[in-house]
Amino acid sequence: LALAAAFAVLRKDTSDAALAARTVEEVNKTAAASIVDQKVKVDTLVKAYNDEKTSLEGKKNLLNQLNKISPEYFGQIKVGAGDVEAIALAQGRYNAELLKTAKITAAKDRIVELNKALLDGEKMTDVSVWQTAGNFISAMGSGAAFTGNQLRTMGANVSSNTKTIQSQIDALAKFV
């Protein structure tokens, strides 16, 4: 019996870690999806800039558009020697910063959702059908014992759900 209890605790800890990892993965996917339009716009401009058929005037126009998108990354680049390499470097830095910012935003949003879940007392104490059935059976017909079992289960659920949600928040905190 003690071995079964130890296994159940280990399994719960593992599932909390797996859920936290899935939450981080969801945040990464949300962040990546949120920057697609911006990334594609810059990638398209850079590709046009690098096209051999683009005139000097066209390159100036494209560089001006990149500068409007992000003067911090593209503002110091001038058309001429080393411009292609400078743009490639700026593009990489811009995309990395864009993704980093999107991850922070997505993580903050998810942390807010998780904190709201912590405040939802009804959901935190929910007793499943299986828990209720087990409590009823173990009470052996005693209403008082059943009520006590249900209350203990509710308390255990709050503790378990809090731990699960907190593990997700802790995993997301590295982004913020």
Side-chain angles (χ1 to χ4, degrees):
L1 191 60
L3 183 60
F7 179 73
V9 168
L10 178 63
R11 195 179 85 211
K12 176 69 175 140
D13 288 344
T14 303
S15 65
D16 284 351
L19 182 58
R22 280 196 307 275
T23 301
V24 168
E25 185 179 320
E26 288 170 8
V27 163
N28 284 329
K29 286 180 182 178
T30 300
S34 74
I35 66 167
V36 167
D37 289 343
Q38 294 165 293
K39 189 177 178 308
V40 166
K41 188 172 186 176
V42 168
D43 291 351
T44 302
L45 291 170
V46 169
K47 184 176 180 182
Y49 188 93
N50 292 334
D51 188 335
E52 293 176 9
K53 297 175 189 166
T54 304
S55 68
L56 181 62
E57 197 56 40
K59 287 184 185 258
K60 286 180 182 178
N61 181 36
L62 291 166
L63 195 53
N64 187 36
Q65 289 179 54
L66 287 167
N67 188 27
K68 285 181 183 174
I69 291 171
S70 180
E72 179 181 350
Y73 292 97
F74 300 104
Q76 301 301 317
I77 302 171
K78 305 290 182 221
V79 176
D83 59 345
V84 173
E85 294 82 10
I87 288 176
L89 184 62
Q91 179 186 18
R93 288 180 178 162
Y94 172 78
N95 287 341
E97 186 62 29
L98 198 60
L99 183 58
K100 178 183 170 188
T101 302
K103 283 181 181 182
I104 290 169
T105 300
K108 283 181 180 178
D109 291 348
R110 185 66 177 126
I111 287 170
V112 167
E113 290 173 20
L114 291 167
N115 278 307
K116 285 180 182 178
L118 282 174
L119 297 174
D120 188 348
E122 189 175 322
K123 286 185 180 178
M124 294 293 287
T125 60
D126 275 351
V127 178
S128 74
V129 171
W130 298 110
Q131 289 173 321
T132 300
N135 290 337
F136 183 76
I137 291 167
S138 68
M140 294 192 251
S142 167
F146 174 70
T147 301
N149 289 348
Q150 285 288 87
L151 290 173
R152 277 189 294 283
T153 301
M154 291 170 93
N157 287 353
V158 167
S159 177
S160 175
N161 291 337
T162 299
K163 184 177 178 231
T164 299
I165 291 171
Q166 191 59 51
S167 71
Q168 293 175 68
I169 291 171
D170 292 346
L172 293 173
K174 69 181 180 184
F175 289 115
V176 181

Short mmCIF file of all heavy atoms in Angstrom, two decimals, residues 28-93:
data_model
loop_
_atom_site.label_atom_id
_atom_site.label_comp_id
_atom_site.label_asym_id
_atom_site.label_seq_id
_atom_site.Cartn_x
_atom_site.Cartn_y
_atom_site.Cartn_z
N ASN A 28 5.25 28.99 -26.46
CA ASN A 28 6.18 29.14 -27.59
C ASN A 28 5.44 29.16 -28.92
O ASN A 28 5.75 29.97 -29.81
CB ASN A 28 7.23 28.03 -27.58
CG ASN A 28 8.29 28.24 -26.53
OD1 ASN A 28 8.63 29.36 -26.18
ND2 ASN A 28 8.82 27.15 -25.99
N LYS A 29 4.46 28.28 -29.07
CA LYS A 29 3.67 28.23 -30.32
C LYS A 29 2.85 29.50 -30.49
O LYS A 29 2.78 30.06 -31.59
CB LYS A 29 2.75 27.01 -30.33
CG LYS A 29 3.46 25.70 -30.57
CD LYS A 29 2.48 24.54 -30.56
CE LYS A 29 3.21 23.22 -30.76
NZ LYS A 29 2.27 22.08 -30.69
N THR A 30 2.23 29.96 -29.40
CA THR A 30 1.45 31.19 -29.46
C THR A 30 2.32 32.37 -29.85
O THR A 30 1.94 33.20 -30.69
CB THR A 30 0.78 31.46 -28.09
OG1 THR A 30 -0.08 30.37 -27.77
CG2 THR A 30 -0.01 32.75 -28.09
N ALA A 31 3.50 32.43 -29.26
CA ALA A 31 4.44 33.52 -29.56
C ALA A 31 4.87 33.48 -31.02
O ALA A 31 4.86 34.50 -31.71
CB ALA A 31 5.66 33.44 -28.65
N ALA A 32 5.24 32.30 -31.50
CA ALA A 32 5.68 32.17 -32.89
C ALA A 32 4.56 32.55 -33.86
O ALA A 32 4.80 33.23 -34.86
CB ALA A 32 6.16 30.74 -33.15
N ALA A 33 3.34 32.12 -33.55
CA ALA A 33 2.22 32.45 -34.42
C ALA A 33 1.91 33.95 -34.42
O ALA A 33 1.51 34.50 -35.44
CB ALA A 33 0.98 31.67 -33.99
N SER A 34 2.15 34.59 -33.29
CA SER A 34 1.80 36.01 -33.19
C SER A 34 2.74 36.93 -33.97
O SER A 34 2.39 38.07 -34.24
CB SER A 34 1.77 36.44 -31.72
OG SER A 34 3.08 36.54 -31.20
N ILE A 35 3.90 36.43 -34.35
CA ILE A 35 4.86 37.29 -35.07
C ILE A 35 4.98 36.97 -36.55
O ILE A 35 5.78 37.58 -37.25
CB ILE A 35 6.26 37.24 -34.42
CG1 ILE A 35 6.88 35.85 -34.56
CG2 ILE A 35 6.22 37.72 -32.99
CD1 ILE A 35 8.36 35.81 -34.24
N VAL A 36 4.20 36.03 -37.03
CA VAL A 36 4.33 35.58 -38.42
C VAL A 36 4.20 36.73 -39.40
O VAL A 36 5.04 36.89 -40.30
CB VAL A 36 3.31 34.45 -38.74
CG1 VAL A 36 3.22 34.20 -40.23
CG2 VAL A 36 3.69 33.18 -38.02
N ASP A 37 3.18 37.56 -39.23
CA ASP A 37 2.96 38.67 -40.18
C ASP A 37 4.15 39.62 -40.21
O ASP A 37 4.62 40.01 -41.29
CB ASP A 37 1.69 39.44 -39.82
CG ASP A 37 0.43 38.65 -40.11
OD1 ASP A 37 0.49 37.66 -40.87
OD2 ASP A 37 -0.63 39.01 -39.56
N GLN A 38 4.64 40.00 -39.03
CA GLN A 38 5.76 40.93 -38.97
C GLN A 38 7.02 40.31 -39.57
O GLN A 38 7.76 40.96 -40.30
CB GLN A 38 6.03 41.34 -37.52
CG GLN A 38 4.91 42.16 -36.91
CD GLN A 38 5.03 42.22 -35.42
OE1 GLN A 38 4.88 41.22 -34.73
NE2 GLN A 38 5.30 43.42 -34.90
N LYS A 39 7.25 39.05 -39.25
CA LYS A 39 8.43 38.36 -39.75
C LYS A 39 8.39 38.22 -41.27
O LYS A 39 9.38 38.47 -41.96
CB LYS A 39 8.55 36.98 -39.09
CG LYS A 39 9.86 36.28 -39.37
CD LYS A 39 9.91 34.97 -38.60
CE LYS A 39 11.16 34.19 -38.88
NZ LYS A 39 11.46 33.97 -40.27
N VAL A 40 7.24 37.83 -41.79
CA VAL A 40 7.08 37.66 -43.25
C VAL A 40 7.29 39.00 -43.96
O VAL A 40 7.93 39.05 -45.02
CB VAL A 40 5.70 37.06 -43.59
CG1 VAL A 40 5.38 37.19 -45.07
CG2 VAL A 40 5.64 35.60 -43.17
N LYS A 41 6.79 40.07 -43.40
CA LYS A 41 6.95 41.39 -44.02
C LYS A 41 8.44 41.75 -44.14
O LYS A 41 8.91 42.16 -45.20
CB LYS A 41 6.21 42.45 -43.20
CG LYS A 41 6.16 43.79 -43.86
CD LYS A 41 5.24 44.73 -43.10
CE LYS A 41 5.08 46.02 -43.86
NZ LYS A 41 4.15 46.93 -43.21
N VAL A 42 9.18 41.55 -43.05
CA VAL A 42 10.62 41.86 -43.07
C VAL A 42 11.35 40.90 -44.02
O VAL A 42 12.19 41.33 -44.81
CB VAL A 42 11.22 41.81 -41.65
CG1 VAL A 42 12.74 41.84 -41.69
CG2 VAL A 42 10.70 42.98 -40.83
N ASP A 43 11.02 39.63 -43.94
CA ASP A 43 11.67 38.64 -44.82
C ASP A 43 11.45 38.97 -46.29
O ASP A 43 12.36 38.85 -47.12
CB ASP A 43 11.16 37.23 -44.52
CG ASP A 43 11.61 36.70 -43.17
OD1 ASP A 43 12.46 37.35 -42.51
OD2 ASP A 43 11.11 35.63 -42.75
N THR A 44 10.24 39.41 -46.63
CA THR A 44 9.91 39.77 -48.01
C THR A 44 10.72 40.98 -48.47
O THR A 44 11.27 40.99 -49.59
CB THR A 44 8.40 40.04 -48.15
OG1 THR A 44 7.68 38.88 -47.74
CG2 THR A 44 8.02 40.40 -49.57
N LEU A 45 10.82 41.97 -47.59
CA LEU A 45 11.60 43.17 -47.93
C LEU A 45 13.08 42.83 -48.10
O LEU A 45 13.73 43.31 -49.04
CB LEU A 45 11.42 44.25 -46.87
CG LEU A 45 10.03 44.89 -46.80
CD1 LEU A 45 9.90 45.76 -45.56
CD2 LEU A 45 9.74 45.69 -48.06
N VAL A 46 13.60 41.99 -47.22
CA VAL A 46 15.02 41.60 -47.30
C VAL A 46 15.27 40.79 -48.57
O VAL A 46 16.28 41.00 -49.25
CB VAL A 46 15.46 40.83 -46.04
CG1 VAL A 46 16.84 40.21 -46.22
CG2 VAL A 46 15.44 41.76 -44.82
N LYS A 47 14.36 39.90 -48.89
CA LYS A 47 14.53 39.09 -50.10
C LYS A 47 14.53 39.99 -51.34
O LYS A 47 15.36 39.81 -52.24
CB LYS A 47 13.41 38.05 -50.21
CG LYS A 47 13.55 37.11 -51.37
CD LYS A 47 12.48 36.05 -51.38
CE LYS A 47 12.68 35.13 -52.57
NZ LYS A 47 11.64 34.12 -52.65
N ALA A 48 13.63 40.95 -51.38
CA ALA A 48 13.59 41.89 -52.50
C ALA A 48 14.87 42.72 -52.56
O ALA A 48 15.41 42.98 -53.64
CB ALA A 48 12.37 42.79 -52.38
N TYR A 49 15.37 43.11 -51.41
CA TYR A 49 16.61 43.89 -51.35
C TYR A 49 17.78 43.09 -51.92
O TYR A 49 18.63 43.61 -52.63
CB TYR A 49 16.91 44.30 -49.90
CG TYR A 49 18.07 45.26 -49.77
CD1 TYR A 49 17.85 46.63 -49.76
CD2 TYR A 49 19.39 44.81 -49.68
CE1 TYR A 49 18.90 47.53 -49.65
CE2 TYR A 49 20.45 45.68 -49.58
CZ TYR A 49 20.20 47.04 -49.56
OH TYR A 49 21.25 47.92 -49.46
N ASN A 50 17.82 41.81 -51.59
CA ASN A 50 18.93 40.95 -52.02
C ASN A 50 18.82 40.50 -53.48
O ASN A 50 19.77 39.94 -54.02
CB ASN A 50 19.02 39.72 -51.11
CG ASN A 50 19.46 40.08 -49.71
OD1 ASN A 50 20.14 41.08 -49.49
ND2 ASN A 50 19.06 39.26 -48.74
N ASP A 51 17.69 40.74 -54.09
CA ASP A 51 17.49 40.35 -55.49
C ASP A 51 18.42 41.19 -56.37
O ASP A 51 18.46 42.42 -56.28
CB ASP A 51 16.03 40.59 -55.88
CG ASP A 51 15.69 40.03 -57.25
OD1 ASP A 51 16.60 39.89 -58.10
OD2 ASP A 51 14.51 39.74 -57.48
N GLU A 52 19.16 40.53 -57.23
CA GLU A 52 20.13 41.20 -58.12
C GLU A 52 19.45 42.19 -59.06
O GLU A 52 20.08 43.14 -59.54
CB GLU A 52 20.90 40.17 -58.94
CG GLU A 52 21.82 39.32 -58.10
CD GLU A 52 22.51 38.24 -58.92
OE1 GLU A 52 22.41 38.25 -60.16
OE2 GLU A 52 23.15 37.38 -58.30
N LYS A 53 18.18 41.98 -59.34
CA LYS A 53 17.45 42.84 -60.27
C LYS A 53 16.99 44.15 -59.62
O LYS A 53 16.53 45.05 -60.32
CB LYS A 53 16.25 42.09 -60.82
CG LYS A 53 16.61 40.86 -61.62
CD LYS A 53 15.39 40.08 -62.02
CE LYS A 53 15.81 38.75 -62.62
NZ LYS A 53 14.68 37.84 -62.73
N THR A 54 17.09 44.25 -58.31
CA THR A 54 16.64 45.45 -57.61
C THR A 54 17.63 46.59 -57.86
O THR A 54 18.83 46.45 -57.65
CB THR A 54 16.51 45.20 -56.09
OG1 THR A 54 15.63 44.09 -55.89
CG2 THR A 54 15.96 46.41 -55.37
N SER A 55 17.09 47.71 -58.32
CA SER A 55 17.93 48.88 -58.63
C SER A 55 18.41 49.55 -57.34
O SER A 55 17.92 49.25 -56.24
CB SER A 55 17.11 49.89 -59.44
OG SER A 55 16.09 50.44 -58.63
N LEU A 56 19.36 50.46 -57.49
CA LEU A 56 19.88 51.21 -56.36
C LEU A 56 18.75 52.00 -55.69
O LEU A 56 18.63 52.02 -54.47
CB LEU A 56 21.00 52.15 -56.81
CG LEU A 56 21.66 52.99 -55.73
CD1 LEU A 56 22.35 52.08 -54.70
CD2 LEU A 56 22.67 53.95 -56.34
N GLU A 57 17.91 52.62 -56.52
CA GLU A 57 16.77 53.38 -55.98
C GLU A 57 15.80 52.44 -55.26
O GLU A 57 15.25 52.78 -54.21
CB GLU A 57 16.06 54.13 -57.12
CG GLU A 57 15.16 55.24 -56.65
CD GLU A 57 15.86 56.29 -55.79
OE1 GLU A 57 17.00 56.68 -56.06
OE2 GLU A 57 15.23 56.71 -54.79
N GLY A 58 15.57 51.26 -55.83
CA GLY A 58 14.70 50.26 -55.20
C GLY A 58 15.25 49.81 -53.86
O GLY A 58 14.50 49.64 -52.89
N LYS A 59 16.58 49.62 -53.80
CA LYS A 59 17.22 49.22 -52.54
C LYS A 59 17.05 50.31 -51.48
O LYS A 59 16.77 50.01 -50.31
CB LYS A 59 18.70 48.91 -52.75
CG LYS A 59 18.93 47.59 -53.47
CD LYS A 59 20.41 47.28 -53.58
CE LYS A 59 20.62 46.03 -54.40
NZ LYS A 59 20.90 44.86 -53.63
N LYS A 60 17.19 51.56 -51.89
CA LYS A 60 17.01 52.67 -50.94
C LYS A 60 15.58 52.67 -50.39
O LYS A 60 15.36 52.86 -49.21
CB LYS A 60 17.33 54.01 -51.61
CG LYS A 60 18.80 54.24 -51.83
CD LYS A 60 19.04 55.58 -52.51
CE LYS A 60 20.52 55.80 -52.79
NZ LYS A 60 20.77 57.07 -53.50
N ASN A 61 14.62 52.45 -51.29
CA ASN A 61 13.21 52.41 -50.89
C ASN A 61 12.95 51.24 -49.92
O ASN A 61 12.28 51.41 -48.89
CB ASN A 61 12.32 52.30 -52.13
CG ASN A 61 10.84 52.28 -51.77
OD1 ASN A 61 10.40 52.94 -50.85
ND2 ASN A 61 10.08 51.52 -52.53
N LEU A 62 13.48 50.07 -50.25
CA LEU A 62 13.30 48.89 -49.39
C LEU A 62 13.96 49.11 -48.03
O LEU A 62 13.39 48.77 -46.98
CB LEU A 62 13.86 47.64 -50.07
CG LEU A 62 13.08 47.16 -51.29
CD1 LEU A 62 13.90 46.16 -52.10
CD2 LEU A 62 11.75 46.58 -50.87
N LEU A 63 15.15 49.69 -48.04
CA LEU A 63 15.85 49.97 -46.78
C LEU A 63 15.08 50.99 -45.94
O LEU A 63 14.99 50.86 -44.72
CB LEU A 63 17.26 50.46 -47.07
CG LEU A 63 18.24 50.45 -45.91
CD1 LEU A 63 18.31 49.09 -45.24
CD2 LEU A 63 19.63 50.87 -46.39
N ASN A 64 14.47 51.96 -46.61
CA ASN A 64 13.63 52.94 -45.92
C ASN A 64 12.42 52.25 -45.26
O ASN A 64 12.06 52.58 -44.13
CB ASN A 64 13.17 54.03 -46.90
CG ASN A 64 12.45 55.15 -46.20
OD1 ASN A 64 12.80 55.53 -45.08
ND2 ASN A 64 11.45 55.69 -46.86
N GLN A 65 11.82 51.29 -45.95
CA GLN A 65 10.68 50.55 -45.40
C GLN A 65 11.12 49.72 -44.19
O GLN A 65 10.41 49.65 -43.18
CB GLN A 65 10.07 49.64 -46.46
CG GLN A 65 9.32 50.39 -47.54
CD GLN A 65 8.75 49.44 -48.57
OE1 GLN A 65 8.03 48.50 -48.23
NE2 GLN A 65 9.08 49.67 -49.84
N LEU A 66 12.29 49.08 -44.30
CA LEU A 66 12.83 48.31 -43.16
C LEU A 66 13.09 49.24 -41.97
O LEU A 66 12.82 48.88 -40.82
CB LEU A 66 14.11 47.57 -43.56
CG LEU A 66 13.92 46.37 -44.48
CD1 LEU A 66 15.26 45.92 -45.06
CD2 LEU A 66 13.25 45.24 -43.73
N ASN A 67 13.62 50.42 -42.26
CA ASN A 67 13.92 51.39 -41.22
C ASN A 67 12.63 51.84 -40.52
O ASN A 67 12.62 52.05 -39.31
CB ASN A 67 14.66 52.59 -41.81
CG ASN A 67 15.16 53.53 -40.74
OD1 ASN A 67 15.41 53.14 -39.61
ND2 ASN A 67 15.29 54.79 -41.11
N LYS A 68 11.54 51.99 -41.28
CA LYS A 68 10.26 52.36 -40.68
C LYS A 68 9.74 51.25 -39.76
O LYS A 68 9.13 51.53 -38.74
CB LYS A 68 9.23 52.66 -41.77
CG LYS A 68 9.44 53.99 -42.44
CD LYS A 68 8.38 54.24 -43.49
CE LYS A 68 8.65 55.55 -44.21
NZ LYS A 68 7.71 55.74 -45.33
N ILE A 69 9.99 50.01 -40.13
CA ILE A 69 9.56 48.88 -39.30
C ILE A 69 10.34 48.85 -38.00
O ILE A 69 9.77 48.69 -36.93
CB ILE A 69 9.71 47.54 -40.07
CG1 ILE A 69 8.70 47.49 -41.21
CG2 ILE A 69 9.54 46.35 -39.14
CD1 ILE A 69 8.90 46.34 -42.16
N SER A 70 11.67 49.00 -38.10
CA SER A 70 12.50 48.96 -36.90
C SER A 70 13.78 49.78 -37.10
O SER A 70 14.80 49.26 -37.53
CB SER A 70 12.87 47.52 -36.53
OG SER A 70 13.67 47.52 -35.37
N PRO A 71 13.71 51.06 -36.73
CA PRO A 71 14.91 51.89 -36.86
C PRO A 71 16.05 51.40 -35.97
O PRO A 71 17.22 51.59 -36.29
CB PRO A 71 14.43 53.28 -36.43
CG PRO A 71 13.03 53.16 -35.98
CD PRO A 71 12.55 51.79 -36.26
N GLU A 72 15.69 50.74 -34.88
CA GLU A 72 16.71 50.23 -33.96
C GLU A 72 17.62 49.21 -34.65
O GLU A 72 18.82 49.18 -34.41
CB GLU A 72 16.02 49.58 -32.75
CG GLU A 72 16.97 48.98 -31.75
CD GLU A 72 16.24 48.32 -30.59
OE1 GLU A 72 15.02 48.49 -30.46
OE2 GLU A 72 16.91 47.62 -29.82
N TYR A 73 17.06 48.39 -35.52
CA TYR A 73 17.84 47.33 -36.16
C TYR A 73 18.31 47.70 -37.57
O TYR A 73 19.37 47.26 -38.00
CB TYR A 73 17.04 46.02 -36.19
CG TYR A 73 16.86 45.47 -34.81
CD1 TYR A 73 15.69 45.70 -34.09
CD2 TYR A 73 17.87 44.76 -34.18
CE1 TYR A 73 15.53 45.23 -32.81
CE2 TYR A 73 17.72 44.28 -32.90
CZ TYR A 73 16.55 44.52 -32.21
OH TYR A 73 16.40 44.05 -30.94
N PHE A 74 17.51 48.46 -38.30
CA PHE A 74 17.83 48.74 -39.70
C PHE A 74 18.24 50.19 -39.95
O PHE A 74 18.63 50.54 -41.06
CB PHE A 74 16.62 48.39 -40.59
CG PHE A 74 16.23 46.94 -40.51
CD1 PHE A 74 15.11 46.55 -39.78
CD2 PHE A 74 16.97 45.96 -41.14
CE1 PHE A 74 14.74 45.22 -39.69
CE2 PHE A 74 16.62 44.63 -41.06
CZ PHE A 74 15.50 44.25 -40.33
N GLY A 75 18.14 51.04 -38.96
CA GLY A 75 18.35 52.47 -39.13
C GLY A 75 19.76 52.89 -39.51
O GLY A 75 19.94 53.91 -40.17
N GLN A 76 20.78 52.16 -39.10
CA GLN A 76 22.16 52.57 -39.36
C GLN A 76 22.73 51.99 -40.66
O GLN A 76 23.87 52.27 -41.01
CB GLN A 76 23.06 52.13 -38.19
CG GLN A 76 22.63 52.73 -36.85
CD GLN A 76 22.65 54.24 -36.86
OE1 GLN A 76 23.57 54.87 -37.38
NE2 GLN A 76 21.60 54.85 -36.32
N ILE A 77 21.94 51.19 -41.36
CA ILE A 77 22.43 50.53 -42.58
C ILE A 77 22.29 51.46 -43.77
O ILE A 77 21.26 52.10 -43.96
CB ILE A 77 21.67 49.21 -42.82
CG1 ILE A 77 21.84 48.27 -41.61
CG2 ILE A 77 22.15 48.53 -44.10
CD1 ILE A 77 20.96 47.05 -41.65
N LYS A 78 23.33 51.52 -44.58
CA LYS A 78 23.33 52.32 -45.80
C LYS A 78 23.53 51.40 -47.00
O LYS A 78 24.21 50.38 -46.90
CB LYS A 78 24.47 53.36 -45.78
CG LYS A 78 24.47 54.27 -44.56
CD LYS A 78 23.30 55.22 -44.60
CE LYS A 78 23.35 56.14 -43.39
NZ LYS A 78 22.06 56.37 -42.80
N VAL A 79 22.94 51.78 -48.11
CA VAL A 79 23.13 51.02 -49.35
C VAL A 79 24.59 51.15 -49.76
O VAL A 79 25.14 52.24 -49.78
CB VAL A 79 22.21 51.54 -50.47
CG1 VAL A 79 22.48 50.80 -51.78
CG2 VAL A 79 20.74 51.41 -50.07
N GLY A 80 25.21 50.02 -50.04
CA GLY A 80 26.61 50.03 -50.46
C GLY A 80 27.34 48.81 -49.94
O GLY A 80 26.73 47.79 -49.62
N ALA A 81 28.65 48.94 -49.85
CA ALA A 81 29.49 47.82 -49.45
C ALA A 81 29.08 47.29 -48.07
O ALA A 81 28.92 48.05 -47.12
CB ALA A 81 30.95 48.24 -49.42
N GLY A 82 28.89 45.99 -47.97
CA GLY A 82 28.58 45.34 -46.70
C GLY A 82 27.12 45.44 -46.29
O GLY A 82 26.75 44.97 -45.21
N ASP A 83 26.29 46.03 -47.15
CA ASP A 83 24.89 46.23 -46.79
C ASP A 83 24.12 44.92 -46.66
O ASP A 83 23.30 44.76 -45.76
CB ASP A 83 24.20 47.19 -47.74
CG ASP A 83 24.23 46.71 -49.19
OD1 ASP A 83 25.02 45.80 -49.50
OD2 ASP A 83 23.48 47.27 -50.02
N VAL A 84 24.38 43.97 -47.54
CA VAL A 84 23.66 42.70 -47.52
C VAL A 84 23.95 41.95 -46.22
O VAL A 84 23.03 41.44 -45.57
CB VAL A 84 24.03 41.83 -48.75
CG1 VAL A 84 23.42 40.44 -48.65
CG2 VAL A 84 23.56 42.52 -50.03
N GLU A 85 25.21 41.92 -45.83
CA GLU A 85 25.58 41.25 -44.57
C GLU A 85 24.98 41.99 -43.38
O GLU A 85 24.50 41.37 -42.42
CB GLU A 85 27.10 41.17 -44.42
CG GLU A 85 27.79 40.29 -45.44
CD GLU A 85 28.04 40.98 -46.79
OE1 GLU A 85 27.85 42.23 -46.89
OE2 GLU A 85 28.38 40.28 -47.74
N ALA A 86 25.02 43.31 -43.41
CA ALA A 86 24.46 44.11 -42.31
C ALA A 86 22.96 43.89 -42.18
O ALA A 86 22.43 43.78 -41.08
CB ALA A 86 24.77 45.59 -42.53
N ILE A 87 22.27 43.81 -43.32
CA ILE A 87 20.83 43.58 -43.29
C ILE A 87 20.53 42.18 -42.76
O ILE A 87 19.61 42.00 -41.95
CB ILE A 87 20.20 43.80 -44.69
CG1 ILE A 87 20.18 45.30 -44.99
CG2 ILE A 87 18.80 43.22 -44.77
CD1 ILE A 87 19.67 45.66 -46.37
N ALA A 88 21.30 41.19 -43.20
CA ALA A 88 21.09 39.82 -42.71
C ALA A 88 21.28 39.75 -41.19
O ALA A 88 20.49 39.12 -40.48
CB ALA A 88 22.04 38.86 -43.42
N LEU A 89 22.31 40.40 -40.70
CA LEU A 89 22.57 40.43 -39.26
C LEU A 89 21.44 41.16 -38.53
O LEU A 89 20.93 40.68 -37.50
CB LEU A 89 23.91 41.11 -38.99
CG LEU A 89 24.38 41.14 -37.54
CD1 LEU A 89 24.58 39.73 -37.01
CD2 LEU A 89 25.69 41.92 -37.44
N ALA A 90 21.02 42.30 -39.05
CA ALA A 90 19.94 43.07 -38.44
C ALA A 90 18.63 42.28 -38.46
O ALA A 90 17.87 42.28 -37.48
CB ALA A 90 19.76 44.40 -39.16
N GLN A 91 18.39 41.58 -39.56
CA GLN A 91 17.18 40.77 -39.68
C GLN A 91 17.17 39.67 -38.62
O GLN A 91 16.15 39.45 -37.96
CB GLN A 91 17.10 40.16 -41.08
CG GLN A 91 15.90 39.27 -41.30
CD GLN A 91 15.94 38.58 -42.66
OE1 GLN A 91 17.00 38.49 -43.29
NE2 GLN A 91 14.80 38.12 -43.10
N GLY A 92 18.28 39.00 -38.44
CA GLY A 92 18.37 37.95 -37.43
C GLY A 92 18.14 38.49 -36.04
O GLY A 92 17.40 37.90 -35.24
N ARG A 93 18.74 39.61 -35.74
CA ARG A 93 18.57 40.23 -34.41
C ARG A 93 17.13 40.70 -34.21
O ARG A 93 16.55 40.55 -33.14
CB ARG A 93 19.54 41.39 -34.24
CG ARG A 93 20.97 40.93 -34.08
CD ARG A 93 21.90 42.11 -33.91
NE ARG A 93 23.28 41.65 -33.70
CZ ARG A 93 24.33 42.41 -33.87
NH1 ARG A 93 24.19 43.68 -34.21
NH2 ARG A 93 25.54 41.93 -33.67
#
